[in-house]
């Protein structure tokens, strides 16, 4: 963590590039990174934590084996994305942003560039559109096999 932060600290607005680099490298940004980044950038821990928690891009814990990113931007919301999210979260017994004991992580995203085929979701990096609860259940179930 420190090596990544030190390596990027010279960039303008280095905090975001450092957080992105940590997220990319470890798959999430561990809470232990906050004091390290604060020290390297001479910021307060609260400042680093504020930015980290503001952006949905940064995962705060390791993801499960199956990652479901459900779009909740406008076009998808207008055709039932929120009901879809409620259903998939309910089925796995978790809140949006959490990981089930079976290793399914469900996260919100804000437009997958697939608005014409809303509602859309990405399952393990693969884009799916015109979803309904049954179709998304099936796709997630297949990804779990
Ligand atoms: S709004 Fe959902 S894919 Fe664009």
């Amino acid at each position: 963590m420190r090596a990544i932060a030190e390596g990027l600290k010279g960039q303008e607005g280095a905090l975001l590039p450092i957080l992105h680099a940590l997220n990319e490298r470890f798959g999430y940004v561990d809470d232990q990174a906050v004091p390290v980044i604060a020290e390297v950038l001479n910021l307060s821990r609260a400042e680093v934590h504020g930015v980290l928690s503001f952006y949905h891009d940064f995962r705060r814990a390791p993801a499960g084996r199956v990652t479901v990113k459900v779009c909740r931007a406008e076009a998808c919301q207008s055709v039932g994305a929120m009901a879809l999210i409620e259903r998939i979260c309910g089925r796995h017994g978790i809140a949006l942003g959490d990981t089930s004991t079976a290793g399914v992580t469900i996260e919100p995203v804000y437009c997958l560039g697939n608005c014409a085929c809303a509602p859309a979701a990405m399952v393990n990096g693969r884009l799916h559109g015109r979803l309904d609860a049954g179709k998304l259940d099936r796709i997630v179930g297949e990804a779990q096999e």
Side-chain angles (χ1 to χ4, degrees):
M1 284 190 267
R2 183 172 294 279
I4 288 171
E6 291 283 356
L8 294 170
K9 75 176 181 186
Q11 287 195 12
E12 196 174 330
L15 180 52
L16 280 176
I18 289 170
L19 292 173
H20 278 292
L22 291 173
N23 202 52
E24 180 84 12
R25 169 71 177 77
F26 300 108
Y28 72 109
V29 181
D30 195 279
D31 284 343
Q32 291 179 3
V34 172
V36 174
I37 297 169
E39 187 195 320
V40 169
L41 296 182
N42 199 23
L43 296 171
S44 72
R45 291 178 184 200
E47 285 172 295
V48 176
H49 183 267
V51 171
L52 176 58
S53 51
F54 179 78
Y55 291 100
H56 297 281
D57 284 357
F58 303 122
R59 194 175 278 138
R60 305 295 304 280
R65 197 170 61 79
V66 176
T67 303
V68 185
K69 294 173 182 284
V70 189
C71 180
R72 59 182 299 186
E74 203 172 308
C76 287
Q77 272 205 41
S78 70
V79 289
M82 297 317 287
L84 191 63
I85 288 170
E86 217 169 273
R87 168 76 186 270
I88 189 84
C89 285
R91 181 153 173 77
H92 292 273
I94 56 174
L96 192 59
D98 289 345
T99 299
S100 73
T101 50
V104 176
T105 301
I106 304 171
E107 299 175 327
V109 286
Y110 297 87
C111 195
L112 290 162
N114 198 33
C115 317
C117 298
M122 191 173 267
V123 180
N124 281 354
R126 189 145 180 236
L127 186 61
H128 300 273
R130 295 198 175 93
L131 291 168
D132 58 34
K135 191 172 170 187
L136 184 56
D137 275 349
R138 217 169 31 254
I139 293 165
V140 172
E142 285 167 12
Q144 286 182 281
E145 290 172 0

